[in-house]
Amino acid sequence: MNQDLIAGIDLGGTKILTAVADRQGNILSEIYLPTEAERGTSVILNNLCRSVSLAMSKAGFQGEPGALGIGVPGAVDKGIVHLAPNLGWKEFDLGRELPRIFNCKVETANDANLAALGEYVFGAGQGSSNMLYVTVSTGIGAGIVYRGELFTGESGTAGELGHTTILPEGPLCTCGNYGCLEALASGTSIARQARELVKAGYGQGILPYVDKHLSAKAVGQAARNGDADAIRIIEGAGRYLGLGLSIAVNLLNPSRIILGGGVMDMSDLLWPSLEKEFNTRAHRGAKKVVKLVPAALGSRSGLMGAVALARRLR
Amino acid sequence: MNQDLIAGIDLGGTKILTAVADRQGNILSEIYLPTEAERGTSVILNNLCRSVSLAMSKAGFQGEPGALGIGVPGAVDKGIVHLAPNLGWKEFDLGRELPRIFNCKVETANDANLAALGEYVFGAGQGSSNMLYVTVSTGIGAGIVYRGELFTGESGTAGELGHTTILPEGPLCTCGNYGCLEALASGTSIARQARELVKAGYGQGILPYVDKHLSAKAVGQAARNGDADAIRIIEGAGRYLGLGLSIAVNLLNPSRIILGGGVMDMSDLLWPSLEKEFNTRAHRGAKKVVKLVPAALGSRSGLMGAVALARRLR
């Protein structure tokens, strides 16, 4: 074992990102492997093990690192993965399996929580010990840092902003509820709104940007080129995001909100309506101390959070 | 100074409740004085001082207690009262004034936060180290306990559930925003809805219960006696409360929500619609671990929280 080294894994539904770092968090190597989730749990676990070996080799070392942090795409608490649909896991005791693969200290956490920790320790959250990280992508997730530690709640599900009701009579969400933020402002929702518009005979200005299927990215490109329908959809999503963030800020009173995820690649389009709605809705006291900023680590925030988690293990 | 004694003060806009207790939290005496806020800050401070002396005398002691906790009706952080309209305080440095009055250790906190702490230490929150206390009264406030400590956020305003948008196109709130929970479900809102109904020529079944002016209590009595208009108003308030609690539970993932405040005196009328909406809206994982329960300390939760705060001072 190499006590001076740590490793982080961002375990996703399609790929496993792994980094080896020194105890200061300087990255020595990074690799990725396919998850092969469709081949079942033993293959996933084997790939986790292989990914660490390969990353260690690439960094010039043999054996294991001294500590390992793993981000899981789903609800996880004290090693139990309650639900991770992309991995086919439900009430899966990952914490029991890991000592069979790794001899070092290992800790698991939800990927959005680790992305928050990653931004706090290495990214746009540095110096802000009370912060909220929100990822707007296919879905919407959030992680909370309070007094420099992850705020996970009673069973690890704190920060469930994506499935929080923003518009009580709003559209049906995949979770079965109506008007969740995710059903109003995620990439999936932006694409769905555009598809519905096209189906109804409108939104023709979006079609030239469609590649295979109508994605949020196409809507963004159409909006950037001045298409009024696309602009209306993007601005609407920004408004709902601003509303959702005002709710989170009222309850949590953070000093920073960090916005990441693929949809934030069009933050230039979303930001004005987002900020306006946020400023209208957030309560005075909480608004006064908070700053909204873009994420600094991009798609690596979860991976860096896993490294930060490992660094805390002794 | 009596190091074995502690005292708590619940400083309100109209009265000052003060209790002296031993270090275990057993109450030895309780008194109340009028605040006399209209006579200005020096009178308020003098009354605070007097209230402690009187409570100590009543308990059979002279001099000061060893530690004192004070709940303030407004936004307070590290001794600075940012805003307490009922006391006429704005950016008032209470923390600087207190050592001029008291020689013992003193700590201040927001009254809703202290009510949460009171219920956690002495009331319906015992054993639940991650909990949310919500008071539904003239206004709506909340306090959060996380891992057995008050969760206050960056500047002491965490838990601002009353001024959180629940219905984006809802009625105007006193804070200037639209559709805040307080504008939809507080006692003030229940009374306002009934008054509007009467003004429009309906709600005649509520009038027999009106005493001086149309209060939420009158609406509750009419509802209890089967008046359909009153029932609709109360059930509506319950529904919005359920929606608001679902949002808080998604973000905070507590194991208990404790409901207090005057409006909860009609919890038998509110509870069914509240619980139904909450169960529809709250996300699965968070809902699974949380219980909704009524407060146990009634109007004394804030006072007991001040005692609990003092007990933690050494």
Side-chain angles (χ1 to χ4, degrees), chain A residues 154-155 163 178 253 281, chain B residues 154-155 163 178 250 253 281:
Chain A
E154 175 73 16
S155 59
H163 296 292
Y178 289 85
N253 183 207
R281 299 291 185 175
Chain B
E154 176 72 16
S155 60
H163 295 292
Y178 289 85
N250 278 12
N253 182 208
R281 299 291 186 176

Side-chain angles (χ1 to χ4, degrees), chain A residues 168-193:
Chain A
E169 310 288 328
L172 181 64
C173 183
T174 52
C175 74
N177 182 25
Y178 289 85
C180 293
L181 183 57
E182 188 162 308
L184 293 161
S186 64
T188 313
S189 162
I190 291 171
R192 193 204 66 234
Q193 291 173 58

